[in-house]
Amino acid sequence: MPEDFEREEAAFRAALRRDVAGESFAPLDPAAVAQRPGRGPGRWAVWAGAAAAVVALVVAAGVVVVSVLTPAAPGALTAGASAERGGSAQDAAPAAPGPALGSALAPPAAGFRWESFRNVVVQVPVTWGYALSPGPDWCVTPELERPETPFVDLARGPTAVASWVCPEVFEASRQQLHVSFLPAGDQPSPAAVAPWTYSSRVVGEAALWVLAPPEDRELVRTILDSAQLVTLDHNGCSVEYPATTAVDLSALRPADLTVCLYDPQVAAGTPGLLASVALTGEAAGQAWQAILAAPGGGGPDGTSEQCRPGVPPDVSAVLVVAGRRVEFGFAGCAGNGLVDAGATGGLRQVTPQLCRALIRPPLWFTASSGPQGDACLAAIQPR
């Protein structure tokens, strides 16, 4: 090993020990660590509390540092603000008038659809699909294919990544027109490569980031101008975690249902909606088949050895069925199940079929607190 490399490694290890010594967090439980789906080796999902922690994982003969992407400095972007990165600046997006909070959301413009995050909805072209955008560890995920068409980013908010192994310059060939949703104050990574730029607007609790080349400047403006504050999104999902009820699902079985995905780690009274999807037709039929086929009793849950105290699930869902809101816990270490008053114990068990039927794009999650969440992650992988 070259002498310079040995000195750098020693300095790195010393700095890591100092940083870890200054933090207070529970020891890493290998059972609670799940590889982030669709990202390949080097990208891991771990639960993080309010403060970001740096965790060392010994892998083969080296050390991989897993760090949680942390928000930018408070006030870096404020409501209605716009920022451009990675190339020449673009004009700031003007504030767009929206409906009064609580009023019905108007249909999107022709050729567009609504997408939601936290307490904001925004319009994107109906032709856009869903994909995971490359992260700061793009160089260790070579199998992550560059999307060939514009897309909406499935990842919502901070994620844990292996960030120290990549060079600073992002591969230009991996850039593709897309919109990402982050909590207000956060910034995407990696940076854009000129002449592409990130254009951003903060509305409510959401930061909207659009990566685009110069020729799509007008489309970027249209997308950012469409952002509106809401209390209910386009699928009728409350932006805050709602009160839920226990009903006999087998007695309902309407032609459609909606699934609302939430981040349960946000404070009560704070918008925590991650995304929503309305299931109709064949998708709704598959969902009902999976629901009614799931055994009663709830779970499966992790053992006391697998569950670390105080670690909550990273996501939780609410089904809106015939106007009733029903809780679906699938990524926790304990208390998993779909609430159904007609099932044994008032809960249906979480099965791979149930996860696959209900957790559909744009719904996605990247971390879990126990083995059941890991199984659900595996079930929703593209096939």
Side-chain angles (χ1 to χ4, degrees):
M1 181 182 293
E3 184 177 349
D4 288 345
F5 185 87
E6 290 180 342
R7 285 199 298 269
E8 292 175 1
E9 182 185 26
F12 173 80
R13 291 179 181 274
L16 178 62
R17 283 194 294 269
R18 287 195 300 271
D19 287 342
V20 173
E23 296 289 346
S24 176
F25 53 88
L28 181 65
D29 179 3
V33 178
Q35 185 176 329
R36 181 172 176 175
R39 295 292 188 153
R43 187 178 298 265
W44 301 84
V46 297
W47 177 82
V54 177
V55 184
L57 296 177
V58 179
V59 180
V63 175
V64 176
V65 176
V66 179
S67 60
V68 176
L69 299 181
T70 54
L77 291 175
T78 55
S82 184
E84 294 75 32
R85 303 170 58 232
S88 58
Q90 299 177 359
D91 297 333
L101 291 180
S103 62
L105 188 63
F112 286 78
R113 71 171 188 261
W114 290 112
E115 294 285 343
S116 57
F117 176 67
R118 298 291 175 95
N119 59 344
V120 174
V121 293
V122 65
Q123 296 183 34
V124 301
V126 294
T127 56
W128 285 24
Y130 297 100
L132 289 165
S133 63
D137 58 350
W138 56 269
C139 63
V140 293
T141 55
E143 74 293 338
L144 178 63
E145 296 181 0
R146 171 188 182 272
E148 296 297 326
T149 58
F151 65 94
V152 176
D153 198 348
L154 284 169
R156 307 289 169 97
T159 57
V161 296
S163 58
W164 69 279
V165 293
C166 293
E168 294 182 1
V169 179
F170 178 56
E171 286 184 351
S173 63
R174 294 217 173 205
Q175 297 184 133
Q176 179 56 267
L177 178 63
H178 70 274
V179 61
S180 294
F181 299 91
L182 294 169
D186 285 20
Q187 297 183 356
S189 181
V193 177
W196 289 58
T197 58
Y198 270 117
S199 297
S200 178
R201 183 181 179 203
V202 173
V203 180
E205 300 294 324
L208 312 174
W209 291 85
V210 185
L211 178 65
E215 59 267 26
D216 287 312
R217 176 176 179 175
E218 290 305 314
L219 176 57
V220 171
R221 179 183 292 276
T222 298
I223 292 172
L224 295 179
D225 282 358
S226 71
Q228 299 180 10
L229 284 169
V230 292
T231 52
L232 295 175
D233 80 348
H234 55 293
N235 288 321
C237 292
S238 170
V239 300
E240 297 179 13
Y241 200 93
T244 57
T245 57
V247 296
D248 185 347
L249 294 179
S250 63
L252 298 177
R253 298 192 64 181
D256 52 38
L257 68 156
T258 296
V259 187
C260 317
L261 194 66
Y262 292 91
D263 177 359
Q265 299 178 45
V266 300
T270 302
L273 181 67
L274 294 175
S276 69
V277 63
L279 303 180
T280 61
E282 183 180 357
Q286 292 173 350
W288 280 112
Q289 288 178 6
I291 289 172
L292 298 179
D301 296 328
T303 65
S304 57
E305 289 77 19
Q306 293 170 321
C307 298
R308 286 185 295 151
V311 178
D314 288 86
V315 289
S316 183
V318 170
L319 274 62
V320 182
V321 185
R324 316 285 185 89
R325 291 179 170 84
V326 180
E327 193 166 34
F328 177 40
F330 58 90
C333 210
N336 292 307
L338 172 63
V339 174
D340 182 354
T344 303
L347 286 173
R348 288 191 179 270
Q349 188 178 119
V350 181
T351 64
Q353 294 78 11
L354 192 57
C355 287
R356 222 167 9 246
L358 298 179
I359 309 302
R360 296 168 175 256
L363 275 55
W364 193 260
F365 70 107
T366 59
S368 61
S369 301
Q372 175 49 39
D374 296 349
C376 203
L377 276 172
I380 66 173
Q381 291 304 296
R383 296 180 181 274

